[in-house]
Amino acid sequence: MHNKTIAELAAGLRAGEFTSEELTRAFIERIKAHDDRLNSYITVTEEQALAQAREADQRIAAGTAGPLTGVPLAHKDIFCTDGVRTSCASKMLDPFIAPYDATVVRKFREAGAVMLGKTNMDEFAMGSSNETSFYGPVKNPWDLGAVPGGSSGGSAAAVAARLAPGATGTDTGGSIRQPAALCGITGLKPTYGRVSRYGMIAFASSLDQAGPMARTAEDCALMLGAMAGFDERDSTCAEQLVDDYICGLNNDLKGLRIGLPKEYFGEGLDAEVAGAVEAAVDEYKKLGAEVVEISLPNTNLAVPTYYVVAPAECSSNLSRMDGVRFGYRCEEPKDLEDLYKRSRGEGFGPEVKRRIMVGAYALSSGYYDAYYLKAQKLRHLISDDFKKAFEQVDVIMGPTAPTPAFNLGEKKDDPVAMYLADIYTIAVNLAGLPGISVPCGFVGKRPVGLQIIGNYFDEARLLNVAHKYQQATDWHLRTPEGF
Amino acid sequence: MALDKSDVQSIAYLARMAISEEDVPAYAENLTSILTLVEQMSAVDTSGVEPMAHPLEMAQRLREDVVTEENRRDHFQQYAPAVENGLFLVPRVIE
């Protein structure tokens, strides 16, 4: 059962081949049997999952089921889940039980999906390797000596090892697409504002976006259909109708205009990754697409710009972690200032502290114009590059990450080297565009991802373009040995 | 832009975050390398470019100023570190 996609599981449930309770038990058993090697879950919610599964079985029997009713899924531990620990992989929130559901969680619950548990991640989603988690690193199921990517590394590893058929993720600078690439699964970062951020613990509010992670584009389409839509509780959520992401999946790609940015194939790109991506582009040519070289001239500014905007917003967002109203509080504070300083000093890990300090510095008196304002201007230039490109092409393609998964520990003590792992994904967040990563090959044992970037609210096309490739290739069906 | 130990301490103070003395040199080094990366921004002329505050250039949505949330204080406070009679407890502020 665990090898089936979400679409196949949904069909099996509907046809009565198995019940949601049987399916849920099977995944819980797999998590118990295999996750000690991966550490992809922080919390497994076995009892609630089985109760939800039994309810789903009743809905299926009563004929009131939707497409996801009875399908087990996992949520990144950044989404608030009523009555369940929501840690954001931080010591700061280790004691935090969320008092309400995030909109994404509520929507999946109402659709009848079963929550298996909460997945591991980089602390407060700050990281590209899942090594900053308070609960320890996640391992890559393809190679246990490699990182799974981050920050949604637990979700990516769990889906790749088939410890969940699908999982939610969030993407602020590549945190869905990069781990999807490194773990050989499909992950979609929607347009900014497509999915509600309510109840999703904020990192950088002008960049954060939730999206689906699954084995196929079709499964991502099913999940996005349930997640997307306007929400009054998120003031930046787009008042835009949700497309039917399923009906266009098989649209013909004849005449599709693909742009290849020359800046995405230059220095720093691993030769074998480049080869896999070029082979994928050739496959698209066979499907009738036209390929043109384009330029995104400000590409090299994306990482520096991001490392002002994201830390500035995080230093502001994380000021709510003060040891007073929820979360970790230090022992025996001698006064209020000591309470703030030690609760935060002891509760946050080193990478979170670095980013808070960079942000506090960039926003401090005398530096605001040189850093934050400058970065917001550059953001405009980066965004304009994409606008111009989309006058010429329908989608943009390139590698998701410059290298396959790196070794655990390899970049842990070098933040700048780590930041450059997101060089091809970050600009998409700065511009607010949607992007998807699709498995397109391997370097040795380690998977490679093809990134496809679309115009605003063009998720249906991205899913169509990804799905057609998956109909013609089988990279997404490969499974890691031992799982 | 190289940061020294006292810079790190003053930034940590701005963020109300205790940093142990022995960790200060490593933070100084890491923050300096991050700021060096960020310095690349200054090479670009941005005169006449508008700052981008929102990816979709959307305006903030407004709503009627009416109460929409119910009072759930007890529910929210059950997970707080220290509460008494509906109040959050902190060390004495006024002697």
Side-chain angles (χ1 to χ4, degrees), chain A residues 133-202:
Chain A
S133 169
F134 174 60
Y135 304 94
V138 176
K139 314 273 174 62
N140 190 316
W142 293 94
D143 185 341
L144 297 174
V147 302
S151 67
S152 312
S155 291
V159 171
R162 288 148 301 126
L163 306 186
T168 52
T170 61
D171 191 316
T172 304
S175 283
I176 287 174
R177 292 159 289 154
Q178 186 257 15
L182 272 45
C183 287
I185 65 159
T186 308
L188 171 69
K189 179 243 172 239
T191 307
Y192 181 78
R194 179 66 294 177
V195 176
S196 170
R197 294 185 297 112
Y198 179 74
M200 188 176 113
I201 296 169

Side-chain angles (χ1 to χ4, degrees), chain A residues 301-428:
Chain A
L301 294 170
V303 172
T305 301
Y306 179 87
Y307 279 97
V308 173
V309 174
E313 294 184 13
C314 103
S315 78
S316 166
N317 273 325
L318 270 60
S319 64
R320 73 190 60 165
M321 314 288 165
D322 57 6
V324 175
R325 291 154 301 158
F326 52 84
Y328 176 79
R329 171 181 284 200
C330 66
E331 301 277 343
E332 312 265 325
K334 69 177 195 297
D335 54 31
L336 187 58
E337 189 173 298
D338 185 48
L339 179 134
Y340 293 148
K341 283 164 73 174
R342 281 203 293 123
S343 298
R344 290 163 61 78
E346 294 164 17
F348 293 134
E351 178 62 16
V352 173
K353 282 190 214 156
R354 281 196 281 267
R355 297 207 195 183
I356 290 175
M357 286 197 277
V358 169
Y361 179 74
L363 292 174
S364 64
S365 166
Y367 294 105
Y368 179 84
D369 285 4
Y371 289 105
Y372 194 69
L373 196 67
K374 181 84 182 179
Q376 292 290 63
K377 290 178 175 180
L378 290 174
R379 198 171 168 183
H380 227 145
L381 298 179
I382 291 163
S383 172
D384 287 345
D385 283 356
F386 284 107
K387 280 197 185 117
K388 277 183 208 127
F390 282 119
E391 288 168 9
Q392 258 187 288
V393 299
D394 301 311
V395 295
I396 295 170
M397 286 188 191
T400 306
T403 65
F406 38 93
N407 294 331
L408 282 157
E410 190 179 324
K411 300 184 183 184
K412 202 166 180 268
D413 300 317
D414 187 351
V416 170
M418 186 75 85
Y419 297 171
L420 293 171
D422 292 332
I423 192 159
Y424 304 129
T425 48
I426 269 179
V428 172

Side-chain angles (χ1 to χ4, degrees), chain A residues 229-249:
Chain A
F230 176 66
D231 179 14
E232 235 170 38
R233 289 172 182 258
D234 171 4
S235 67
T236 61
C237 199
E239 293 185 80
Q240 170 112 2
L241 283 178
V242 177
D243 291 320
D244 181 334
Y245 298 116
I246 298 294
C247 75
L249 279 178

Side-chain angles (χ1 to χ4, degrees), chain B residues 3-69:
Chain B
L3 296 181
D4 61 22
K5 287 186 194 174
S6 73
D7 293 324
V8 170
Q9 271 146 346
S10 62
I11 298 167
Y13 177 73
L14 282 177
R16 299 298 186 275
M17 235 162 25
I19 302 287
S20 72
E21 198 55 46
E22 71 209 50
D23 290 340
V24 169
Y27 279 107
E29 190 188 322
N30 284 326
L31 296 184
T32 298
S33 68
I34 296 168
L35 291 174
T36 305
L37 170 81
V38 160
E39 282 302 311
Q40 293 172 28
M41 296 195 312
S42 58
V44 185
D45 180 12
T46 48
S47 49
V49 180
E50 282 292 306
M52 177 168 151
H54 189 290
L56 301 172
E57 325 247 348
M58 282 196 316
Q60 198 72 18
R61 202 171 55 245
L62 301 175
R63 63 168 176 83
E64 292 296 310
D65 185 16
V66 291
V67 176
T68 55
E69 296 289 329

Side-chain angles (χ1 to χ4, degrees), chain A residues 94-168:
Chain A
D94 179 61
F96 179 61
I97 312 281
Y100 63 93
D101 274 335
T103 295
V104 164
V105 171
R106 175 180 60 79
K107 283 179 166 234
F108 277 118
R109 185 166 41 74
E110 287 170 0
V114 172
M115 179 174 88
L116 291 169
K118 308 290 294 289
T119 56
N120 205 342
M121 54 184 281
D122 279 299
E123 184 181 5
F124 285 106
M126 298 176 198
S128 308
S129 68
N130 221 298
E131 293 170 293
T132 72
S133 169
F134 174 60
Y135 304 94
V138 176
K139 314 273 174 62
N140 190 316
W142 293 94
D143 185 341
L144 297 174
V147 302
S151 67
S152 312
S155 291
V159 171
R162 288 148 301 126
L163 306 186
T168 52

Side-chain angles (χ1 to χ4, degrees), chain A residues 9 13 65 115 145 165-166 202 215 266 284 325 350 408 431 442 445 453 472:
Chain A
L9 291 174
L13 285 166
M115 179 174 88
R215 290 174 60 213
Y284 277 105
R325 291 154 301 158
L408 282 157
F442 288 84
K445 281 155 70 178
I453 303 165

